[in-house]
Amino acid sequence: MTRPPLISGLILAGGAGRRAGGQDKGLLNWQGLPLIDHVYRRIAPQVSEVLISCNRNRERYAALSTVTNADLRPEYQGPLAGLEAATAAITHPLVMIVPCDTPILPANLAKHLLQALAQSPEESVAYAKTRDGGQYLCALMRTECLLSLPAFLDSGQRAVRHWYEQVGAVAVDMDNQSESFLNINALA
């Protein structure tokens, strides 16, 4: 059996939780466990290591996995700020990012994204796409593209899809697994 390539997994759990009434979404209880536990269990078998980008409740997240630096930018400037802060902790040539509020991610997400990157060597990012649109925070990227992130954020831009346009990205059709991208933003 061949070993999968070295991939760092990064769970983005550093948001302000505006759509969840200011609560830390990663710690919201869903089906008996915090969302972060569900997400961790889904991606851990697909990557070589799991990192968690968070800005609060760091002790709780550290009990589950390695916690990266808090955002370098003030006032919750979005998921790219979390990715920027985590860059120093990413040790592998590829990083898969996922949000903390998507608890039933596909068990083969990394495989599909990796295949797309292998078939598109000129692209830096492969992200999932469903009938609901781009799942921009479910992505696999070559870590060298992270070098452009500080300048992108310094220019005042925050949209993940715009950064992907800048570095080059390919959308991976995952319509047959659309339900796996269920996003939880409040207590159910």
Side-chain angles (χ1 to χ4, degrees):
M1 186 166 140
T2 61
R3 228 179 121 79
L6 296 176
I7 299 173
S8 293
L10 177 64
I11 303 172
L12 298 168
R18 289 181 190 95
R19 292 180 290 170
Q23 297 179 73
D24 188 333
K25 286 198 292 186
L27 300 181
L28 291 178
N29 193 327
W30 185 74
Q31 295 187 354
L33 290 172
L35 285 170
I36 192 72
D37 289 20
H38 291 281
V39 175
Y40 180 89
R41 289 176 181 184
R42 287 297 208 167
I43 73 158
Q46 300 183 58
V47 297
S48 304
E49 66 177 344
V50 178
L51 307 169
I52 300 173
S53 173
C54 64
N55 289 313
R56 51 189 170 154
N57 300 305
R58 296 175 65 74
E59 301 80 26
R60 168 56 180 95
Y61 289 115
L64 187 60
S65 192
T66 303
V67 173
T68 67
N69 292 331
D71 289 0
L72 307 172
R73 297 168 190 272
E75 302 177 8
Y76 300 105
Q77 293 192 31
L80 291 179
L83 179 56
E84 174 192 40
T87 298
I90 296 168
T91 59
H92 298 307
L94 297 168
V95 60
M96 184 169 78
I97 63 169
V98 296
C100 69
D101 56 1
T102 310
I104 54 174
L105 290 164
N108 58 2
L109 180 61
K111 177 184 171 190
H112 285 292
L113 299 176
L114 185 59
Q115 286 173 341
L117 269 185
Q119 293 169 0
S120 304
E122 70 285 357
E123 306 295 357
S124 295
V125 178
Y127 65 91
K129 181 176 175 263
T130 65
R131 60 182 146 279
D132 296 325
Q135 305 295 327
Y136 300 111
L137 296 182
C138 296
L140 181 70
M141 59 192 69
R142 303 177 203 284
T143 54
E144 66 260 15
C145 76
L146 299 176
L147 297 174
S148 70
L149 198 47
F152 179 83
L153 293 168
D154 287 346
S155 74
Q157 297 187 68
R158 300 290 176 263
V160 176
R161 67 184 173 92
H162 292 154
W163 181 60
Y164 287 176
E165 290 168 5
Q166 191 178 88
V167 298
V170 59
V172 179
D173 183 355
M174 298 197 70
D175 269 347
N176 62 341
Q177 296 186 66
S178 288
E179 68 285 346
S180 295
F181 295 93
L182 169 71
N183 186 274
I184 308 291
N185 287 302
L187 291 173

